[in-house]
């Protein structure tokens, strides 16, 4: 079975709160906007958005944790360090009232 392209959460779920906090963060929004047009490494995102790499790193961790961004590919730098490539997760997020999650169906 392929990847699920939706994330179904209850309003009471802590993940819903985490996602709400993440998407309300202005830095996360800028990173999501950047990734909507192309994937990128921390360095590429940092340079394009003119942000410190530490800020980009911190916010990417939150976006990955919230499952809004994925990191499936990497390459090795000249020094042999793993350089991750980030991309938007192709998912719809559905946040529903408690109990409604059980009655939602999809095709």
């Amino acid at each position: 079975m392929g990847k699920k392209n939706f994330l179904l959460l209850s309003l009471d779920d802590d993940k819903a709160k985490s996602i709400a906090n993440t998407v309300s963060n202005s830095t996360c929004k800028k990173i999501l906007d950047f990734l909507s047009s192309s994937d990128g490494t921390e360095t590429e995102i940092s340079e394009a958005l003119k942000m410190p790499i530490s800020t980009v790193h911190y916010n990417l961790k939150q976006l990955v944790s919230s499952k809004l961004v994925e990191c499936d590919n990497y390459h090795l730098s000249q020094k042999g360090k793993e350089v991750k490539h980030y991309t938007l997760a192709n998912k719809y997020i559905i946040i529903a009232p408690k109990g409604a999650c059980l009655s939602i169906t999809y095709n």
Side-chain angles (χ1 to χ4, degrees):
M1 182 176 235
K3 285 185 176 181
K4 292 180 182 178
N5 63 350
F6 69 94
L7 184 58
L8 180 60
L9 303 169
S10 166
L11 279 172
D12 294 333
D13 192 334
D14 286 339
K15 288 182 185 177
K17 293 174 189 173
S18 173
I19 289 172
N21 288 335
T22 302
V23 297
S24 65
N25 176 315
S26 63
T27 301
C28 287
K29 286 183 200 178
K30 290 176 186 176
I31 293 171
L32 288 169
D33 188 46
F34 174 85
L35 292 174
S36 70
S37 59
S38 68
D39 66 345
T41 64
E42 287 182 1
T43 302
E44 292 168 340
I45 296 167
S46 172
E47 290 172 356
L49 299 178
K50 297 179 179 23
M51 291 181 189
I53 197 160
S54 58
T55 301
V56 171
H57 176 79
Y58 173 81
N59 286 280
L60 279 171
K61 283 178 66 175
Q62 292 198 336
L63 289 163
V64 169
S65 175
S66 296
K67 299 189 187 320
L68 299 173
V69 169
E70 296 176 340
C71 178
D72 292 334
N73 297 318
Y74 69 92
H75 73 270
L76 295 178
S77 70
Q78 291 179 343
K79 294 180 180 179
K81 185 177 178 183
E82 194 175 278
V83 179
K84 297 177 181 179
H85 293 254
Y86 295 91
T87 187
L88 281 182
N90 188 20
K91 294 188 181 209
Y92 293 99
I93 300 169
I94 302 166
I95 300 174
K98 186 177 180 179
C101 290
L102 299 175
S103 63
I104 295 175
T105 60
Y106 62 95
N107 294 327

